Amino acid sequence: DVKVTQSSRYLVKRTGEKVFLECVQDMDHENMFWYRQDPGLGLRLIYFSYDVKMKEKGDIPEGYSVSREKKERFSLILESASTNQTSMYLCASGSAGLAGGNSYNEQFFGPGTRLTVL
Amino acid sequence: QQPVQSPQAVILREGEDAVINCSSSKALYSVHWYRQKHGEAPVFLMILLKGGEQKGHEKISASFNEKKQQSSLYLTASQLSYSGTYFCGTEAESYNTDKLIFGTGTRLQVFP
């Protein structure tokens, strides 16, 4: 079975703390994604990685950074957490599309981490 | 810019039909549909590609109008298990990557 796991289901942090969210996939996928999900706003892409050490900004990268040192692991880092980063964070992975970059392949999502910043 | 989904919410009785629409301001290469049940991760339903190819669910159908940059998801003879929030994810022709931009979601509730 395809599996994407996230390090925590629930996390509570204080303003100003450095926060690490970890995601691991066991499907040998090239692509990995971090989204945040807020009521009424849907899923918004924070960062995307298409290979080890390669990343691309999504729509809302401000206040976040990412790290991909190994193919199966993609980390989201909040350098200095703020209350407006309280949200549900979803990681996903997927195979790379055909040459030229367009994707035929679905994304597989992890269970999410609900982060609360006090 | 996020695609716009309509309606925002739908309430159905079992056996009724529903249509969920997704509209983008960009020229699209593909549209993906996902369903998220309460407290769970989103799960893939379908991909519709420019040119008409589709891949996805047996009991749910969808269309993709490339000229209008719109897609519609058709849920016929709805079942209780169809309840959840439906998201479309769009891949713009200009991206040349595998990233998707998701809509704000349509919440579907099916009652007995």
Side-chain angles (χ1 to χ4, degrees):
Chain A
D1 260 359
V2 158
K3 211 166 195 179
V4 179
T5 55
Q6 296 184 228
S7 49
S8 307
R9 289 301 301 268
Y10 300 93
L11 207 53
V12 179
K13 295 291 181 181
R14 297 229 175 254
T15 302
E17 281 191 82
K18 190 168 185 176
V19 182
F20 293 86
L21 302 182
E22 304 283 336
C23 176
V24 178
Q25 51 100 0
D26 65 358
M27 295 161 282
D28 201 36
H29 284 157
E30 294 83 6
N31 296 329
M32 295 188 76
F33 308 84
W34 275 107
Y35 297 93
R36 67 177 279 177
Q37 183 174 19
D38 300 288
L41 298 178
L43 301 166
R44 293 182 292 165
L45 182 65
I46 305 172
Y47 267 99
F48 157 48
S49 169
Y50 50 92
D51 202 348
V52 174
K53 297 189 188 294
M54 306 304 288
K55 63 186 179 186
E56 187 174 310
K57 289 181 181 179
D59 293 327
I60 50 165
E62 297 80 17
Y64 303 94
S65 62
V66 290
S67 172
R68 193 165 179 203
E69 297 296 319
K70 293 186 177 182
K71 190 176 185 180
E72 68 270 18
R73 190 178 296 269
F74 191 35
S75 302
L76 180 70
I77 302 154
L78 287 67
E79 295 290 341
S80 177
S82 63
T83 54
N84 62 13
Q85 291 178 310
T86 291
S87 187
M88 171 67 83
Y89 290 87
L90 290 165
C91 174
S93 72
S95 298
L98 299 181
N102 296 116
S103 175
Y104 293 80
N105 297 301
E106 62 263 40
Q107 294 183 16
F108 297 88
F109 285 83
T113 295
R114 185 164 293 281
L115 173 68
T116 302
V117 183
L118 301 175
Chain B
Q1 193 169 4
Q2 285 181 282
V4 175
Q5 287 186 235
S6 63
Q8 289 186 330
V10 185
I11 298 175
L12 296 175
R13 294 276 181 199
E14 263 187 303
E16 291 181 338
D17 302 338
V19 180
I20 300 172
N21 301 301
C22 174
S23 181
S24 175
S25 59
K26 295 177 182 279
L28 299 177
Y29 183 79
S30 70
V31 179
H32 300 217
W33 286 96
Y34 289 77
R35 176 171 63 207
Q36 184 179 30
K37 298 195 175 186
H38 183 68
E40 299 181 9
V43 173
F44 167 77
L45 293 175
M46 298 196 70
I47 290 177
L48 301 106
L49 305 176
K50 185 177 177 179
E53 190 177 342
Q54 293 187 20
K55 170 186 166 184
H57 204 278
E58 291 177 358
K59 296 185 179 179
I60 295 174
S61 63
S63 64
F64 178 22
N65 186 323
E66 299 159 27
K67 285 188 179 177
K68 292 186 177 180
Q69 296 154 197
Q70 292 175 346
S71 177
S72 295
L73 187 71
Y74 304 99
L75 302 163
T76 56
S78 59
Q79 304 170 16
L80 295 175
S81 61
Y82 286 8
S83 292
T85 302
Y86 290 76
F87 295 99
C88 65
T90 56
E91 184 177 8
E93 286 189 326
S94 56
Y95 288 165
N96 202 35
T97 68
D98 295 327
K99 72 177 185 183
L100 298 177
I101 304 300
F102 284 93
T104 53
T106 295
R107 188 174 176 193
L108 179 77
Q109 290 180 281
V110 182
F111 290 97

